Amino acid sequence: LVDGSSSMAYRGLPPRSPLRGADIAGEPPSKYDQACLLAAAIGFLTIKRQDHVSFAVAREGLGAFHPAHSSHAHLRGVLAAMETNVPRGPTAARLGEALTVFAQRVMRKGLVIVFSDLMEDMDDILRALSIFSHRGNDVIVFHVLHPHELELPPTEETLFVDSETGEEVRLDVAAARPLYEERLRNYLDAWTAALRQRGIDYTRVRTDEPFQKALEGYLCRRAAVR
């Protein structure tokens, strides 16, 4: 299940104009792009083993849904859905809803993987994930974040615009940085502890990290634990 809400579209500050002497080395991946790349790679590896893969997008509830299948034609359909589904709509109170509906669609016991920036009420998501855990599913959460979320960008006074509500806040970044870093640590620690206490595999992924490297590192850690 890939989170397709508006916050997942973030790919960083706009590139500087070439007229100012800066080079533009291609458009960086958004959080949604990174999530889809990881999901596609795992889907390919799964189908290569002749196992079944289902796919869905969480966007204003449960969006595109592709029931489980193991054919390469099915995988091509999933990849097409990833490309055509543009992130939009609010995250709040919808990712948990999407997970609940997804649980009703996917009754078979297996591996459940969620790719999201987790910009929603924690309790709602945990309640929905517990449905899968109680069934005996192996649940994995990839927490996909942009470097600017992990560390405020090196700017001075900046106008921040909420990608989902359009709300604007002008901020002195240098003055806000210490408090932001403290709240970020608390936020990340809370997610890490809450998921792992429930036996849910949690891993954090940055959008500036090649998805191949992120996936390889995760698979190696998972194999070492098992």
Side-chain angles (χ1 to χ4, degrees), residues 11 17 26 36 64 69 73 112 135 139 144 172 174 190 192 207:
R11 62 178 74 250
S17 167
C36 285
H69 208 282
V112 178
R135 288 182 187 168
V139 183
V144 185
D172 182 337
T192 302
T207 58

Side-chain angles (χ1 to χ4, degrees), residues 1 15 21 50 72-73 79 84 102 104 113 118 130-131 164 169 192 221:
L1 180 78
Q50 298 183 328
H72 288 281
L79 298 179
T84 57
F102 190 55
Q104 297 168 0
I113 310 178
L118 302 178
S130 68
I131 298 172
E164 299 187 352
V169 176
T192 302
R221 289 193 301 273

Side-chain angles (χ1 to χ4, degrees), residues 108-123:
R108 185 181 301 178
K109 182 178 176 181
L111 185 65
V112 178
I113 310 178
V114 180
F115 305 85
S116 174
D117 57 9
L118 302 178
M119 299 295 182
E120 188 186 334
D121 182 75
M122 181 184 292
D123 291 337

